[in-house]
């Protein structure tokens, strides 16, 4: 889907204002302001996030809660919401959302964002892993491959979690940029 956000509309509006101003004073300036107005209109159009594609993917997983007393979630950009329920399982739904300069780029980047769910002893750990956080990522090779220059770039990546877990469970929830909401859980 083609998205238009406030940060895409503002540069576009400035470009339109320059264009209109340039056409009004073109007679006095010998046509140069009209060209300046067109350039001012084209630059925001070419660089604006208003021309970004948004791709969403939903990840779902259900984990048995027998013997589990703690839920840990680590997220970098997006909301974490945990609601209690009376089932002996943990249901995890993660919505990945990627804005990119192309549809294919958005879909490819969304596939690279991983939702990792691991059971470690009496805890379930859920974390968001982006391509730059992977252990095998080589910054030098990544930079000199020039993929970042020719394939466009991800303008916004977020993952929002909606998790249902047994009421009597401890939670350890952290998001570096997003709300953390916990229902009436009876753990710590």
């Amino acid at each position: 889907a083609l998205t238009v956000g406030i940060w895409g509309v503002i540069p576009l509006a400035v470009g339109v204002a320059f264009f209109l101003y340039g056409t009004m004073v073109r007679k006095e300036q010998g046509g140069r302001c009209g060209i300046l107005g067109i350039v001012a209109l084209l630059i925001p159009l070419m660089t604006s996030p208003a021309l970004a594609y948004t791709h969403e993917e939903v990840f779902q997983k259900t984990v048995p809660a027998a013997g589990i007393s703690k839920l840990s979630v680590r997220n970098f950009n997006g909301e974490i919401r945990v609601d209690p329920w009376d089932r002996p399982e943990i249901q995890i739904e993660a919505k990945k959302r990627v804005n990119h300069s192309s549809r294919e780029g958005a879909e490819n980047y969304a596939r690279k964002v991983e939702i990792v769910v691991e059971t470690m002893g009496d805890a379930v750990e859920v974390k968001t892993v982006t391509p730059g956080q992977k252990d095998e990522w080589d910054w030098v090779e990544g930079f000199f491959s020039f993929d970042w220059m020719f394939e466009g770039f991800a303008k916004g990546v977020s993952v929002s979690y909606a998790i249902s877990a047994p009421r009597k469970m401890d939670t350890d929830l952290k998001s570096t940029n997003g709300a953390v909401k916990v229902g009436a859980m009876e753990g710590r």
Side-chain angles (χ1 to χ4, degrees), residues 17-177:
F18 270 107
F19 177 75
L20 293 175
Y21 175 76
T23 57
M24 289 179 0
V25 296
R26 182 172 33 190
K27 293 177 188 173
E28 298 171 15
Q29 299 293 327
R32 286 181 292 188
C33 286
I35 293 171
L36 178 64
I38 291 171
V39 170
L41 181 62
L42 289 177
I43 289 173
L45 276 173
M46 292 169 35
T47 62
S48 172
L51 298 178
Y53 287 91
T54 298
H55 178 73
E56 291 185 353
E57 286 184 9
V58 176
F59 168 91
Q60 293 182 328
K61 185 166 187 168
T62 302
V63 179
I68 303 296
S69 63
K70 182 179 180 182
L71 172 66
S72 174
V73 182
R74 299 288 179 268
N75 195 15
F76 75 96
N77 190 25
E79 177 180 281
I80 301 171
R81 190 181 81 237
V82 178
D83 293 312
W85 68 356
D86 295 321
R87 295 184 187 172
E89 57 191 17
I90 300 169
Q91 183 180 31
I92 302 159
E93 180 176 294
K95 183 185 287 186
K96 299 188 272 185
R97 182 181 174 121
V98 177
N99 292 335
H100 198 280
S101 55
S102 73
R103 178 178 304 164
E104 297 81 21
E107 291 170 357
N108 289 337
Y109 199 86
R111 278 193 289 276
K112 293 177 183 178
V113 174
E114 294 181 39
I115 309 303
V116 178
V117 179
E118 297 176 322
T119 302
M120 311 274 282
D122 68 341
V124 169
E125 295 182 3
V126 181
K127 61 184 173 183
T128 304
V129 180
T130 60
Q133 294 174 314
K134 294 181 182 174
D135 293 336
E136 71 273 4
W137 178 257
D138 183 354
W139 285 100
V140 175
E141 181 182 326
F143 179 80
F144 287 108
S145 72
F146 296 107
D147 289 344
W148 57 271
M149 187 182 293
F150 298 110
E151 293 180 3
F153 57 94
K155 293 177 174 70
V157 179
S158 67
V159 177
S160 298
Y161 287 94
I163 300 173
S164 297
R167 188 173 309 279
K168 295 184 179 190
M169 184 166 290
D170 296 337
T171 56
D172 179 19
L173 314 171
K174 292 184 179 148
S175 181
T176 57
N177 186 25

